[in-house]
Amino acid sequence: MVDRLNYRIEVTGPVEGRFAEILTPAALDFLAKLDNTFAGRRRELLDARRVRREELQSGEKPLGFLPETRRIRDDESWHVAPTAPGLEDRRVEITGPTDRKMTVNALNSGAKVWLADFEDATSPTWHNVIDGQINLYDAIRRNIDFTTEAGKRYTIGDEPATIVARPRGWHLVEKHIRIDGRPVSASLVDFGLFFFHNARQLLARGVGPYFYLPKLENHLEARLWNDVFLLAQRELGIPRGTIRATVLIETITAAFEMDEILYELREHAAGLNAGRWDYIFSMIKNFAAHGADFVLPDRAQVTMTVPFMRAYTELLVRTCHRRRAHAIGGMAAFIPSKDPSVNATAVEKVRADKEREAGDGFDGSWVAHPGLVPVCREVFDGVLGGWPNQLGKLRDDVHVTAEDLLDVASAGGEVTEAGVRANINVALRYVDAWLRGTGAAAIHNLMEDAATAEIARCQIWQWIRNGTKLEDGTALTRELAVEFLDDELASVRAELGTGNRLDDAYEIFTETALGEKLPSFLTTGAYARYLTDAR
């Protein structure tokens, strides 16, 4: 605990190993400066989020493009900042948590960019949060290695990927760091510690402090980030405009404000990313009670080729390229399998997905596993040739309306018993892994993270609330869902054996998928109960 003239900073988590190298008095003072300056605005914006969500859920105020910001959308004269060093070519990006093994493997993967993830791919235990900062600190200084259990040692190669850190979203707090007794914004903890320790070192290496910004719901939240960047640069004496940020468009409300978000961040903006999984979750969360027209089919059937998803991604490319910003495609969640037939099918699906994105004008795309980097790179190499990006592909042919973005019924498809069971199975397995400290879990040949788990349990809630009928005509009731849940729990328990958190995962799933309300499993009482201080 450190007392200052006007506030008290307290670290309630254990300061063990090298944690003190990150949690220095100067770094904590920097966090306090950020949080004291912006805590009030953050709370106001989160309150506004809740109000807007209630309006959408009730149908009181329909969603559309903002009339008050039309001048920003119509003005062709403004553009984002010039491309920053290390971000000129983003044809393949790999995502993953910031544990030591992933840090080394991601940097050596052959990808152009590594999204170093403190968000959906990281279970936010105290150890994971601070250990991740240590690993990035070492990686930026080329002082990191990893040795396998078999004794094989890995170090960073000569051409590592550019690091782009993703802090947690505005809605989360870091309860292990408190100012005057209140927890600090998790966004500012992740951003602040990374920026404070590494900004100058990155600049000395010819790149800069780069970030992915998750879960934004409107342009005012982007404005808050821009003001954070301005203050952070000023406090450390870093030139204004040094930071670059890529915003994930992963909420339906943000999809209506892409121009405005880029405008607010324009001196720091690098691009937008099509965060497809959270986008689907956002659609369900906001319109779950709006009847059959907003009921999506099995998760596996909601592909990027269904009309409302095509509208979203094509609008993203058009918006980005009008503003000279990069458009980055969505996650290929498939992971290589030891089964040759499964592996061949997965690779072809990834190839088709990346061919569609490259053909649409995206400048690059995401993969979740080093084994898929060559596939993504090959596809974009074939389209880009010697060019680093497709910023010149303006997509003037794209004209997307509000009705196009909200046309959920266009997805078609059906809800099946197999799909219901798959959602339950994935949710149980993922939440079990998350509670044991793993935020990116390989499940059924897919890399699942918090976003896909949210979709899984959110769909169950929506199907029950709408009395959705399965392919055999049986309505999905709460009682039937519980029957499936008990079956899947028994199946997963038999496979995993002991030493798991399946009972806790069962309770969390019941609380967040089968109750009257639809909370996030990250923000329920379950979060406080199971993610303890000791972990």
Side-chain angles (χ1 to χ4, degrees), residues 28 58 60 141 182 233 254 344 375 477:
L28 293 175
S58 67
E60 176 185 343
R141 290 158 179 80
R182 59 176 171 79
Q233 290 165 143
V375 179
T477 62

Side-chain angles (χ1 to χ4, degrees), residues 144-221:
I144 190 171
D145 60 15
F146 175 78
T147 303
T148 67
E149 293 181 358
K152 188 174 181 180
R153 182 171 176 265
Y154 293 87
T155 59
I156 298 178
D158 295 333
E159 296 184 12
T162 298
I163 294 174
V164 180
R166 177 162 70 165
R168 285 168 285 176
W170 282 128
H171 59 299
L172 296 174
V173 296
E174 178 50 67
K175 62 184 180 181
H176 300 93
I177 300 178
R178 296 176 177 270
I179 297 175
D180 294 335
R182 59 176 171 79
V184 175
S185 160
S187 299
L188 296 181
V189 168
D190 298 339
F191 162 79
L193 292 176
F194 179 83
F195 184 81
F196 180 85
H197 288 293
N198 301 307
R200 292 191 182 92
Q201 185 71 26
L202 287 164
L203 289 171
R205 291 191 172 275
V207 287
Y210 305 143
F211 299 91
Y212 258 108
L213 304 181
K215 305 294 189 291
L216 268 65
E217 297 201 6
N218 57 62
H219 70 284
L220 297 180
E221 295 178 12

Side-chain angles (χ1 to χ4, degrees), residues 52 55 61-74 218-220 223 256-257 260 263-264:
R52 187 67 182 113
E55 291 174 342
K61 188 177 179 182
L63 190 56
F65 295 100
L66 301 178
E68 62 268 31
T69 56
R70 183 170 182 171
R71 62 173 181 81
I72 293 174
R73 297 193 299 276
D74 291 347
N218 57 62
H219 70 284
L220 297 180
R223 182 182 299 172
F256 283 86
E257 300 184 34
E260 293 89 333
Y263 183 81
E264 294 293 346

Side-chain angles (χ1 to χ4, degrees), residues 105-300:
N105 286 341
L107 291 173
N108 288 341
S109 66
K112 294 292 186 179
V113 167
W114 171 40
L115 186 156
D117 196 10
F118 288 96
E119 204 232 359
D120 276 357
T122 292
S123 175
T125 65
W126 176 240
H127 175 270
N128 286 349
V129 169
I130 305 304
D131 185 63
Q133 294 283 350
I134 292 171
N135 294 331
L136 294 183
Y137 181 96
D138 289 346
I140 289 165
R141 290 158 179 80
R142 304 294 192 269
N143 186 33
I144 190 171
D145 60 15
F146 175 78
T147 303
T148 67
E149 293 181 358
K152 188 174 181 180
R153 182 171 176 265
Y154 293 87
T155 59
I156 298 178
D158 295 333
E159 296 184 12
T162 298
I163 294 174
V164 180
R166 177 162 70 165
R168 285 168 285 176
W170 282 128
H171 59 299
L172 296 174
V173 296
E174 178 50 67
K175 62 184 180 181
H176 300 93
I177 300 178
R178 296 176 177 270
I179 297 175
D180 294 335
R182 59 176 171 79
V184 175
S185 160
S187 299
L188 296 181
V189 168
D190 298 339
F191 162 79
L193 292 176
F194 179 83
F195 184 81
F196 180 85
H197 288 293
N198 301 307
R200 292 191 182 92
Q201 185 71 26
L202 287 164
L203 289 171
R205 291 191 172 275
V207 287
Y210 305 143
F211 299 91
Y212 258 108
L213 304 181
K215 305 294 189 291
L216 268 65
E217 297 201 6
N218 57 62
H219 70 284
L220 297 180
E221 295 178 12
R223 182 182 299 172
L224 176 57
W225 268 118
N226 197 69
D227 289 344
V228 169
F229 295 161
L230 291 174
L231 178 61
Q233 290 165 143
R234 187 165 64 247
E235 285 293 307
L236 293 193
I238 303 295
R240 176 170 173 155
T242 296
I243 293 172
R244 288 292 189 275
T246 304
V247 176
L248 289 112
I249 301 299
E250 52 187 349
T251 64
I252 181 59
T253 51
F256 283 86
E257 300 184 34
M258 294 188 206
D259 269 306
E260 293 89 333
I261 287 169
L262 286 175
Y263 183 81
E264 294 293 346
L265 285 159
R266 59 194 181 281
E267 63 182 310
H268 298 109
L272 302 178
N273 171 277
R276 60 178 72 173
W277 304 124
D278 268 300
Y279 188 79
I280 296 170
F281 167 53
S282 173
M283 186 71 80
I284 300 170
K285 178 176 62 176
N286 283 293
F287 300 104
H290 280 230
D293 285 345
F294 283 88
V295 172
L296 286 167
D298 287 355
R299 179 168 70 115

Side-chain angles (χ1 to χ4, degrees), residues 490-503:
S491 174
V492 176
R493 193 191 302 280
E495 180 183 334
L496 297 185
T498 59
N500 54 60
R501 303 290 295 272
L502 285 173
D503 287 336

Side-chain angles (χ1 to χ4, degrees), residues 296-311:
L296 286 167
D298 287 355
R299 179 168 70 115
Q301 298 179 36
V302 188
T303 67
M304 298 306 294
T305 61
V306 302
F308 83 94
M309 295 297 284
R310 288 285 289 159

